């Protein structure tokens, strides 16, 4: 058994897996989230816990403390987490670098450089990124 979400493939040995809901409208949303072909067989597929937000689980605290063996999904939950790294690892790295650069420039704001004669030149870094 493994996760049906495209580019995921986590197994039951790694995390909790959930069967597709019986409600047709809800099941349609789950199927669309998986990004699979039209002949997708949902009856034999699962979605892993990594595609759900923490609010989607009934027993998050009990599970994390070791009082529950598996997570329980709240009724009506729809998977919502599709990590950029699931599709393309290079893109994920670029996004991460861009976020880090923006964060650093937010802290710095301006930069001062000195020329050969010792004169100070200040530059605003806003608009560079």
């Amino acid at each position: 058994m493994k996760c049906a979400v495209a580019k995921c493939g986590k197994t039951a040995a790694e995390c909790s897996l959930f069967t597709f809901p019986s409600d047709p409208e809800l099941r349609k949303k789950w199927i669309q989230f998986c990004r699979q072909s039209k002949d997708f067989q949902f009856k034999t597929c699962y979605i892993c816990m990594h595609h759900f937000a923490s609010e989607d689980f009934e027993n998050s605290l009990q599970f994390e403390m070791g009082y529950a063996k598996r997570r329980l999904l709240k009724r009506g939950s729809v998977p919502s987490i599709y990590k950029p790294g699931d599709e393309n690892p290079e893109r994920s790295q670029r996004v991460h670098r861009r976020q880090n650069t923006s964060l650093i420039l937010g802290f710095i704001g301006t930069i001062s450089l000195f020329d050969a004669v010792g004169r100070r030149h200040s530059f605003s870094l806003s608009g560079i990124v």
Side-chain angles (χ1 to χ4, degrees), residues 20-72:
F20 280 68
S22 55
D23 175 40
E25 289 299 314
L26 189 58
R27 183 174 53 233
K28 183 179 178 182
K29 292 177 184 177
W30 280 43
I31 292 171
Q32 288 172 343
F33 181 81
C34 287
R35 297 176 171 110
Q36 296 285 356
S37 62
K38 292 190 185 250
D39 58 340
F40 182 69
Q41 299 296 321
F42 67 88
K43 291 181 181 179
T44 57
C45 294
Y46 306 87
I47 295 183
C48 76
M49 66 186 213
H50 297 288
H51 301 290
F52 294 92
S54 59
E55 309 82 61
D56 293 331
F57 299 105
E58 290 181 359
N59 64 339
S60 287
L61 185 59
Q62 293 92 336
F63 179 80
E64 290 169 13
M65 293 179 68
Y67 293 113
K69 289 188 178 188
R70 62 185 207 103
R71 293 184 185 262
L72 298 175

Side-chain angles (χ1 to χ4, degrees), residues 97-124:
R97 257 195 317 270
R98 193 176 315 120
Q99 289 170 342
N100 286 345
T101 303
S102 295
L103 184 65
I104 290 169
L105 292 178
F107 285 126
I108 295 174
T110 59
I111 189 168
S112 297
L113 299 174
F114 295 91
D115 61 16
V117 186
R119 291 179 293 197
R120 181 178 177 178
H121 301 275
S122 295
F123 301 94
S124 174

